[in-house]
Amino acid sequence: VKATFDRLARIYRSLEFLAFGGDLERARFALLGRLSRCRSILVLGEGDGRCLQRLVRLAPQARIDCVELSAAMIAQASRRLAPPDRARVRFHWADARRAPLPGGEYDGIATLFFLDCFTPAEVESLVGRATDAAAPGALWLFADFTLPQRGWQRLRARAWLALLYGFFRLTTGLSARRLPPSEAILTAAGWRNCETCQFQAGLLTASLYRRPALIAGPEASP
Ligand SMILES: C[S@@+](CC[C@H](N)C(=O)[O-])C[C@H]1O[C@@H](n2cnc3c(N)ncnc32)[C@H](O)[C@@H]1O
């Protein structure tokens, strides 16, 4: 059975404000403006369109492809867009793990509270596919739940994550049971961290990654 967020589409916003006040929103938007010069952006798992609504304004030259598995989320997101902005957005009702993506196309990629829905193997595959779809020098905006290294912050985060994974497993059929090491996977795929912000004592992280414009080739032999 595929995980679906259809049942949560209408109440998703209220639920997050109930649990974390405006901090998820802060994490989503903290670095969104860094994509302002992008011309071709891929958003995986957009959700109810709050990010998209802001992104179309912040990146006025961008065409935006959204790959989203929940039809109800796409309907919500589409409703938030006014006609002139709507023309620059294409919704793809598809599973991001399998949807075909154009090679070397995107100069911006956004995964906001998305990669934490998957197992480590799935994140590796998703990151690999999106990396192939990225242009040299592309930016990747990542925001997710994260587990702080130590202290009460780690204990608190563990409790929240157990609750959240339990809740999403029941309501959406999510198969992931714990946080995947998404940032380590991005780094291993060649993305370099440029900026990071944290919220909720390290439970929420927003990070900006860049793919080097030129990959150095093998040294010329003497
Ligand atoms: C936790 S929500 C995050 C939504 C939004 N990005 C945010 O910041 O709140 C995860 C989103 O990813 C979508 N999703 C889950 N699995 C997916 C998949 N395999 N392919 C595409 N979208 C998926 C869900 O429908 C949902 O909208």
Side-chain angles (χ1 to χ4, degrees), residues 24 27 45 65 72 74 92 96 103 116 129 145 154 168 176 186-187 201:
L24 256 91
D65 281 334
I74 292 179
H92 305 269
D116 54 7
R129 305 180 77 244
F145 289 94
R154 188 173 174 86
F168 282 111
L186 280 168
T187 306

Side-chain angles (χ1 to χ4, degrees), residues 145-167:
F145 289 94
T146 40
L147 190 60
Q149 287 297 316
R150 59 184 70 84
W152 63 267
Q153 296 90 336
R154 188 173 174 86
L155 294 176
R156 173 180 180 270
R158 268 193 195 288
W160 265 118
L161 289 167
L163 189 73
L164 288 168
Y165 275 102
F167 172 77

Side-chain angles (χ1 to χ4, degrees), residues 5 12 28 45-47 67-70 73 94-97 112-114 117-118:
F5 279 67
Y12 189 75
R28 252 179 227 119
E46 158 52 39
V67 180
E68 169 58 63
L69 188 58
S70 157
M73 286 290 195
D95 186 331
R97 290 168 293 186
L112 306 179
F113 299 95
F114 172 71
C117 297
F118 300 97

